[in-house]
């Protein structure tokens, strides 16, 4: 089963969900607004993609928290990802021991079709 991590009203998450629906691919959504992601999951993901890829430095949450001023290193970014899941670049897709971050239709087509 494909697991999609994100929030329902995020445009990139919407595109991913539409892709899966269009191709009749079953998925399960983990919504950051209703559930807290455990830090152990971020540690798992960090072994598959670098923290810089997971950390959304362009998000509203990033700007509101004024994190640019902190000039975070990788450890600092991981710490903030654990504290504030909305800093995670969306969507994160888990499937068959693979991990995709963000929406890219070409990559989705190669991975799922």
């Amino acid at each position: 089963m494909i697991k999609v991590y994100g929030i329902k009203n995020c445009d990139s998450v919407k595109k991913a969900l539409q892709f899966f629906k269009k191709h009749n691919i079953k998925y399960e959504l983990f919504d950051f607004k209703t559930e807290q992601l455990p830090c152990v999951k971020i540690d798992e993901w960090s072994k598959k993609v670098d923290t810089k890829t997971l950390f959304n430095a362009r998000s509203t949450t990033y700007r509101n928290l004024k994190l640019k001023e902190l000039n975070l290193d990788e450890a600092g970014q991981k710490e903030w990802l654990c504290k504030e899941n909305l800093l995670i670049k969306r969507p994160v897709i888990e499937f068959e021991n693979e991990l995709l971050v963000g929406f890219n239709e070409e990559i989705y087509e190669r991975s799922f079709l």
Side-chain angles (χ1 to χ4, degrees):
M1 169 76 72
I2 294 169
K3 189 131 184 190
V4 180
Y5 295 83
I7 57 176
K8 291 178 190 173
N9 63 340
C10 170
D11 288 338
S12 296
V13 173
K14 285 180 186 176
K15 288 176 188 174
L17 298 182
Q18 286 172 349
F19 176 89
F20 294 134
K21 286 176 187 170
K22 176 182 173 184
H23 297 287
N24 294 316
I25 298 170
K26 292 185 189 243
Y27 64 88
E28 181 181 321
L29 177 66
F30 182 102
D31 193 330
F32 294 143
K33 292 238 179 173
T34 60
E35 302 177 76
Q36 178 66 28
L37 188 72
C39 283
V40 69
K41 184 59 80 175
I42 291 167
D43 290 336
E44 275 178 37
W45 291 349
S46 295
K47 292 174 185 161
K48 295 179 180 183
V49 298
D50 60 2
T51 304
K52 187 176 173 182
T53 301
L54 286 171
F55 192 84
N56 189 355
R58 295 178 11 179
S59 72
T60 304
T61 304
Y62 178 82
R63 288 191 301 275
N64 289 344
L65 293 170
K66 298 179 176 32
L67 296 180
K68 185 174 184 174
E69 298 166 12
L70 300 179
N71 198 22
L72 300 169
D73 61 6
E74 187 174 329
Q77 288 178 342
K78 254 187 186 178
E79 187 179 323
W80 273 99
L81 289 173
C82 285
K83 283 194 268 188
E84 185 53 71
N85 290 170
L86 294 179
L87 288 168
I88 297 171
K89 185 169 181 177
R90 302 177 296 262
V92 176
I93 311 292
E94 279 184 331
F95 68 102
E96 299 177 359
N97 206 28
E98 296 289 324
L99 192 73
L100 297 177
V101 179
F103 177 77
N104 180 313
E105 191 162 3
E106 287 179 21
I107 292 172
Y108 279 43
E109 286 174 356
R110 281 197 307 267
S111 299
F112 302 110
L113 302 180

